[in-house]
Amino acid sequence: RAAPFALEGLEESAPLAGASWTERGLLLVTASGEVLRCDGHAPGDGATWRCAGAQDFVKLPVPKNAELLAVAISEHPEGATVALTYRHLPTVVGLFRADAGA
């Protein structure tokens, strides 16, 4: 059954460019490359899901005056893999891998 909810903690963030579902919860990425984590698999009180900057991710590489168009993140035991494309280069996909603990 689907139920509406709000994401809390995005007020100061750029528009969203992507979202990924992981074992730890929801990962959101802004057009400026900031990664936010919404822990758990559902909003805590049923209506609001708290999100905050993901301490285990650095800001994704976004050149000056550029924006991310789309982003997907896959977390795995070895770290994470990120696929991204920029608004000014919509036919090019960049792949990045971050090793766990790096």
Side-chain angles (χ1 to χ4, degrees):
R1 167 173 102 72
F5 62 89
L7 296 172
E8 181 182 321
L10 308 179
E11 299 82 12
E12 303 295 321
S13 299
L16 294 178
S20 297
W21 192 259
T22 72
E23 288 185 13
R24 293 174 51 192
L26 187 63
L27 281 178
L28 306 173
V29 182
T30 68
S32 64
E34 179 184 8
V35 181
L36 301 125
R37 186 180 295 281
C38 312
D39 286 326
H41 294 286
D45 64 7
T48 304
W49 201 341
R50 178 76 182 131
C51 305
Q55 301 300 313
D56 50 341
F57 278 89
V58 297
K59 187 173 179 180
L60 299 180
V62 179
K64 186 176 180 177
N65 299 321
E67 283 188 333
L68 292 171
L69 177 64
V71 182
I73 298 176
S74 173
E75 290 185 303
H76 41 80
E78 297 82 25
T81 302
V82 178
L84 57 80
T85 187
Y86 299 101
R87 189 166 302 281
H88 69 286
L89 295 170
T91 60
V92 176
V93 175
L95 295 174
F96 298 88
R97 180 172 171 166
D99 293 330

